[in-house]
Amino acid sequence: MKQSRVGIMDPNTNPDARGRRSSMAAPSQINEFGGKSKTTIKPANQLQLTPEELKEEFTRVLTAVNPQAPKNQVQFSNNALKFVSKPCDEGTLILFTQKGYLLDVNSPEAQYQIRMDAANAPPPGGANEDGADEQNANDESREGDGEIQGAGEPKATSDDAEAVNVDQSEEAGEAEKPAEDGADNAEGMPGPPKKKLPNAFNFCERASQTMNQMLKEAAVETQPPPRSTLSSNVNAWSIYDTYQSNFEQQQQEKLQAQGKAHPKPPAPKPVHVSLERKDEQEIIKVSRQSRTVERIVNQNTYDEIAQDFKYYEDASDEFKEKEGTVLPLWRFSFDPVKKLAVTDICWSETYSDLFAATFGSYNFLGQSYGQVCLYSLKNPTYPEYHLSTSSGVMCVDIHQTYPHLVCIGMYNGTVSVLSLQTQGREPVCLSKTVKGRHADSVNKVRWGPDNMDGNHNFYSVSADGRVINWQLVQSELRLTEVTSLGMPEVKNEGPDGTVIPVRGCGSTFAFHRTDPSVFLVGTEEGNVYRCSTTYSSSFLSAFSAHMQSIYSISWNFYHTGIFATCSADWTVKIWQQDVSSPLFVFDLAAPVGDVAWAPYSSTVFAASTIDGRIHIFDLDIDKYRPICCQAVIDMKKTRMTRVSFSLAHPIVLVGDERGNVTSLKLSPNLRKKPKEAKNADAKRLFEIEQEKIEKLLSIVREPAA
Amino acid sequence: MADDGDAKKDEGEKKVVHTYPLCRQSDMPEEMRTEVMELCVTACEKYSSNNESAARMIKEAMDKKYGAPWHTVVGEAFGFEVSHECKHLLYMFFGGNMGICVWKCN
């Protein structure tokens, strides 16, 4: 704080000034200078001082501090919980501030700066001794550098020039360093050189800046060349086709150039025809391969079904004691037969995957064409062989030993033999024009053993009540009537009293498994006749089996005396030969279309009812109820007609009225074998099955006996 | 489509196999196309057993003549989808069973 002295004005020495200020205006007088002057009037209460006292000087100090500001203010501090003196800064006015750059040399900041400068300075420090010489030498060469040197004081100011001329001395230093290096080294480096600051009086800095070029960014992008895409396939055939079309085009152009117009239309035609024929031949060459490819494609498509067919065994059968299920597998359908009913299914005995299905109609009024289709399990989408006939086909049989021979019986009474070997689709022979043929629909056919002449022959039963044996003699059919199903007890009197013999309508027959001459015929009246091929006049035995027509008879595979019959009167009955009352009767609540014994067990049989359910019985497990009763066909859409066991696989085929043949896999419970059968060979298995059924029969027969 | 090449005739089946170079698709200017087709024919005839060398020869010649980068495919059976600069594509057949596709694209 600066102190200034302001002298007090002596009241006597400057009366004018004082008077003007403090007293009232006195009457004016003119003083010696011509100006108005005033006389002062001393007030009465003015302080009278002696001259010595007046000469006393009082020092007044003008400070910026407010003298009246309290200097001992206190404030209660909550921290210290006592009154603390508050720093007083209200009374001070800041009149002038100036920032300074001077540092005390001994302060830490100054020391730090000195050290930093010393650290930067060392490289040029060595040349500093001769710095002044170099500067002098380079003075002339330096133009516009802006450095003014004290040229007249080289040595004395050499130290001063140090920090400022670092870069110049570096340049000079590099140029002359090799020469002066020795000098430097001789003088030595006296420790870290102390940096000497240039004084501002002899040296001053001046700098100037040249014009900076202005930078500007400019960018340009060219248009890429236009692009397009092309995609194509190169194969041998596409190349060939391109060449062909191009060649034809060239030919046409040549013709046009020559001025001939007319050969154009006929010219392409012969070329195309020859191409078609060639294509056909080529396709025929690959027919076998294409068939294999078709089967593989089918297998891939129906892969899950194939896996199920081979490997799936219903695991829940372990927990069901007396129940089993059937699993639907493939469904064989064919467009032309969609409106026809499946009338018969027959497996081939030589080829385990081949079966024949015939299509016709049971409807008396709605008769139309018929079809025979042979399917293989390997190709469920299309039949291996199919033949269309003029009338519905009612039954089929594949020869046991010559699997290419198939005989069919039709609704109009015709029988015919097909040979699958021939390329064409014509049957080998038909029985249309043969005298004495069937007059009504042929309901069942069956191949018999070759007769003594070595001719193939088969039997047929028809609704006209006759059983006929047909012989295939050099592609001609010769018939021999075996039996006529006369019904002597029914009297039918004509108008003039003559008795017209009435024949029963044969609806089905079944040949004995071991004795090829014995067979059973079932009629629509519900009678079963046991006949022999050797006796044509009478039956071996006859009995009334059912109330309504018998749809199917099936012999047991193992016990040659047991057979089953099924009828429209809702029952399936199991009979034994020579016993007039049935062993078992099962009521299935719907007309039973077909019954079949299982080829793998003597006590298992299946029956199909018209309401779309399949009933499988195992008499060994349950004598009264079926172990499987399952609906496999949608009842609202169609009815089930036939059922057939496969001889090799655990599957069953069922046919319905829409021309579909569905294959079903039997679950393990339906195929149960007795415990002894585990390690037995075929013969032993046969005996086991026989024992099983014998045991069953004995149980049944005993109460009767 | 220019030169008519060899036509093989089998007496039994009367099959005609054309082997002349046939341009299937191209958007090159006319002279460039003929030159390039001749180059391809030369390369394929020279390296008839090695598609890779034929393709290499074609590509390098094209790079030199018309500027990099060219791409070439030579083969008997392939499918392709390429983007090419306009007016720098040639897709041709030769020899009855060889397909060649040459295009330029960065």
Side-chain angles (χ1 to χ4, degrees), chain B residues 67-84:
Chain B
W70 283 86
H71 314 274
T72 316
V73 180
V74 174
E76 288 173 31
F78 55 93
F80 63 91
E81 162 131 8
V82 303
S83 303
H84 64 93

Side-chain angles (χ1 to χ4, degrees), chain A residues 317-337:
Chain A
D317 268 12
E318 288 177 57
F319 310 107
K320 295 187 223 167
E321 261 200 38
K322 291 184 179 180
E323 278 176 35
T325 50
V326 285
L327 176 74
L329 296 174
W330 302 285
R331 173 175 299 194
F332 303 87
S333 62
F334 188 44
D335 269 345
V337 303

Side-chain angles (χ1 to χ4, degrees), chain A residues 225-236 238-240 242-244 246-247 249-250 254 278 282 285, chain B residues 1 16 18 20 22 24-25 76-86 89 91 93-97 106:
Chain A
R227 290 184 189 186
S228 61
T229 325
L230 171 72
S231 60
S232 172
N233 246 334
V234 174
N235 323 97
S238 68
I239 297 178
Y240 179 76
T242 316
Y243 269 118
Q244 287 296 110
N246 178 257
F247 190 65
Q249 209 178 355
Q250 279 185 345
K254 272 192 206 161
K278 263 190 287 175
E282 285 169 3
K285 280 183 210 164
Chain B
M1 270 212 265
V16 179
H18 304 283
Y20 57 83
L22 168 60
R24 172 85 160 69
Q25 180 161 343
E76 288 173 31
F78 55 93
F80 63 91
E81 162 131 8
V82 303
S83 303
H84 64 93
E85 282 182 25
C86 288
L89 168 86
Y91 169 35
F93 300 137
F94 172 69
N97 64 346
N106 265 333

Side-chain angles (χ1 to χ4, degrees), chain A residues 149-169:
Chain A
Q149 312 291 332
E153 303 164 70
K155 281 292 177 188
T157 58
S158 65
D159 309 330
D160 306 334
E162 189 186 288
V164 178
N165 302 325
V166 161
D167 21 351
Q168 282 106 18
S169 62

Side-chain angles (χ1 to χ4, degrees), chain A residues 40-87:
Chain A
T40 55
I41 307 168
K42 258 191 191 175
N45 54 356
Q46 197 182 46
L47 188 63
Q48 303 291 339
L49 292 173
T50 62
E52 295 83 21
E53 282 177 347
L54 286 172
K55 284 186 184 129
E56 198 183 336
E57 284 194 351
F58 291 95
T59 313
R60 287 296 176 99
V61 175
L62 186 64
T63 63
V65 181
N66 182 3
Q68 289 176 347
K71 294 189 183 66
N72 52 353
Q73 280 189 331
V74 288
Q75 196 181 34
F76 186 77
S77 156
N78 287 322
N79 246 356
L81 293 176
K82 63 176 182 190
F83 285 101
V84 173
S85 63
K86 179 174 145 186

